Amino acid sequence: KDVYKPVGLYRMPPVQACGLNRNVLHPVLKRKHIMIIGIPKEIKPDEYRVAMVPSGVEELVKHGHAVLVEKGAGLGSSIPDLEYERAGAKMLDKPEGIYNQAQLIIKVKEPLPVEYPLLKENQTVFTFFHFAASKSLTEAVIKANIIAIAYETIRDVYGQHPILTPMSEVAGRMSIQEGAKYLEKPMHGRGILLGGVPGVAPAEVVIIGGGVVGSNAAKVAAGLGARVAVLDINMERLRHLDDIMPKNVVTLMSNVQNVRNKVKDADLLIGAVLVEGARAPYVVTKDMVQTMKPGAVIVDVAIDQGGCVETSKPTTHSNPIYTVNNVIHYCVTNIPGAVACTSTHALTNVTLPYVCEIADKGYERAARENPAIKRGVNVVKGVVVNQTVADVFGMRCVVM
């Protein structure tokens, strides 16, 4: 009696097979649903985003799923509980209720240590994991026997990262906004206006990495009138940027000599290096940081993946900066969380199609039929299935 009715050509498993106890389900969930989806409140310090906006919840309900949302989950993004209820969600008071009942958990940021005990065996968790930056997180997820699907390793047939892209766009643009703020003298910066004024030279902005973060940072910095240099190891990417950027943006091949010279000149340095699934390499060394001007600013957007500046360490929005060698470091690990309303809507735009597919089909069929989702699967029931993550920690990888 606990087997779900067929949906299309496949049959979803009973909730018992997902490690869940129907006896403790919310009364509304005792009807048959294709899948129970949980949206807990984010607890990372100063994280104001939520994994899904009400319009996304409404779409999932239309697909036949039950959606559980923790009360207050959307308040940081200016979304009241009532809007989720109107969309068809069931509101629960505590995260335990979400994790105990949901077969699919969707989040924004990786589970924190206090959330590890809440993870249930065979549960699917879909979020930004950034495993390469944390061995303890990787080991906890392996121990929990969940299915971990990482936003950041979803890659489409065009080689793009559709879920990472909008957050990188936000982070790239905000890196200039934050960098400009900390260049101000009251913030102990050099006291420089990015665009200068007639008769006074503009600031030197150096961007390491010409991908989505770097190109968005360059666009904003150039628009403010700064002199911008973008360094990358991909010559085709540099040609593309040279074609589309204004004349106050120059492109350079990223090699040790060019990086060393430009870091020394920089008033504002943006770290925008990404290696999919892996820890970001140190492109800017401690010795290079020592050559920077007093009061210069580093914004290391790559900190989610460990950082590309050797002196970088994670910070939060409530305590965003520290100083090394008189150089201000801004290394917030969730930069888009500061503009949560914009970021939450942008994130839902790109995650919803994948959430629907995973929920409709189950992760196995979804990964089998959609290579992008398959690339997003990092850990399955105690086994690492992403080679890059396995290589970072010297773990065994099993191919799906």
Side-chain angles (χ1 to χ4, degrees):
K1 67 179 181 180
D2 259 326
V3 176
Y4 284 105
K5 295 178 181 179
V7 179
L9 299 177
Y10 63 94
R11 184 186 297 269
M12 289 301 297
V15 286
Q16 281 86 348
C18 297
L20 304 170
N21 183 354
R22 180 170 286 281
N23 293 326
V24 299
L25 293 181
H26 190 287
V28 178
L29 302 181
K30 291 188 177 181
R31 328 191 281 266
K32 304 300 181 184
H33 291 281
I34 298 175
M35 188 170 284
I36 302 169
I37 301 168
I39 304 172
K41 185 177 181 179
E42 298 296 321
I43 63 170
K44 190 180 182 78
D46 303 310
E47 179 53 73
Y48 305 105
R49 290 172 289 180
V50 62
M52 188 69 61
V53 298
S55 60
V57 170
E58 186 174 0
E59 187 67 23
L60 291 169
V61 171
K62 285 181 180 178
H63 279 237
H65 307 297
V67 182
L68 307 178
V69 179
E70 185 180 349
K71 289 182 179 178
L75 295 181
S77 297
S78 303
I79 304 172
D81 291 344
L82 182 59
E83 290 191 25
Y84 285 107
E85 291 183 295
R86 287 172 176 167
K90 309 306 171 187
M91 308 303 295
L92 299 185
D93 292 320
K94 296 181 179 180
E96 289 82 0
I98 303 288
Y99 285 93
N100 285 339
Q101 301 179 51
Q103 297 154 284
L104 171 62
I105 298 287
I106 54 174
K107 293 181 85 276
V108 178
K109 297 301 291 182
E110 73 282 353
L112 297 184
V114 295
E115 295 173 298
Y116 297 166
L118 300 177
L119 300 172
K120 303 300 179 186
E121 186 174 359
N122 297 329
Q123 202 167 49
T124 300
V125 181
F126 192 30
T127 188
F128 283 117
F129 276 103
H130 296 293
F131 283 118
S134 175
K135 186 175 183 180
S136 60
L137 170 65
T138 307
E139 291 174 338
V141 167
I142 291 171
K143 183 178 179 181
N145 280 313
I146 66 168
I147 297 92
I149 307 179
Y151 289 162
E152 69 273 10
T153 60
I154 296 258
R155 180 162 39 88
D156 62 23
V157 294
Y158 305 104
Q160 304 300 313
H161 296 85
I163 298 180
L164 190 62
T165 294
M167 297 301 96
S168 295
E169 290 169 340
V170 172
R173 296 178 185 209
M174 281 200 65
S175 69
I176 301 301
Q177 182 174 308
E178 296 298 323
K181 178 171 70 178
Y182 287 103
L183 273 174
E184 296 173 8
K185 201 62 181 179
M187 300 295 182
H188 306 292
R190 298 198 68 229
I192 289 182
L193 182 66
L194 281 189
V197 293
V200 180
E204 297 278 353
V205 177
V206 177
I207 302 169
I208 311 294
V212 177
V213 170
S215 61
N216 277 270
K219 184 186 301 182
V220 173
L224 291 172
R227 290 189 297 220
V228 183
V230 181
L231 294 88
D232 199 282
I233 60 174
N234 185 329
M235 199 63 225
E236 287 305 311
R237 183 63 180 174
L238 293 177
R239 288 192 179 98
H240 172 70
L241 293 174
D242 187 67
D243 285 340
I244 66 171
M245 289 291 171
K247 294 303 180 183
N248 55 332
V249 177
V250 298
T251 58
L252 291 169
M253 175 56 66
S254 181
N255 56 45
V256 174
Q257 182 176 358
N258 283 341
V259 171
R260 182 187 299 116
N261 291 340
K262 295 311 294 182
V263 167
K264 184 178 180 180
D265 293 338
D267 297 301
L268 172 58
L269 174 68
I270 308 295
V273 176
L274 172 69
V275 179
E276 182 187 308
R279 196 202 182 287
Y282 288 140
V283 179
V284 179
T285 65
K286 291 180 181 178
D287 290 341
M288 293 178 188
V289 173
Q290 288 180 348
T291 68
M292 294 181 72
K293 307 165 188 174
V297 175
I298 294 174
V299 178
D300 195 346
V301 184
I303 195 65
D304 274 334
Q305 293 287 108
C308 64
V309 179
E310 194 173 4
T311 50
S312 292
K313 61 182 180 181
T315 63
T316 65
H317 286 293
S318 58
N319 190 21
I321 63 168
Y322 61 93
T323 301
V324 176
N325 296 322
N326 292 317
V327 175
I328 296 169
H329 290 57
Y330 179 98
C331 304
V332 174
T333 56
N334 57 332
I335 292 175
V339 286
C341 190
T342 297
S343 298
T344 289
H345 283 83
L347 188 61
T348 296
N349 289 343
V350 291
T351 58
L352 182 59
Y354 295 106
V355 173
C356 286
E357 189 169 359
I358 293 166
D360 290 350
K361 301 176 179 180
Y363 89 91
E364 288 180 290
R365 182 182 166 197
R368 187 167 62 248
E369 296 181 359
N370 188 338
I373 292 176
K374 183 177 180 179
R375 295 185 188 102
V377 181
N378 282 211
V379 180
V380 175
K381 300 176 185 178
V383 177
V384 177
V385 297
N386 180 290
Q387 187 65 60
T388 308
V389 172
D391 290 344
V392 169
F393 302 116
M395 295 177 175
R396 176 171 170 262
C397 179
V398 175
V399 179
M400 287 183 64

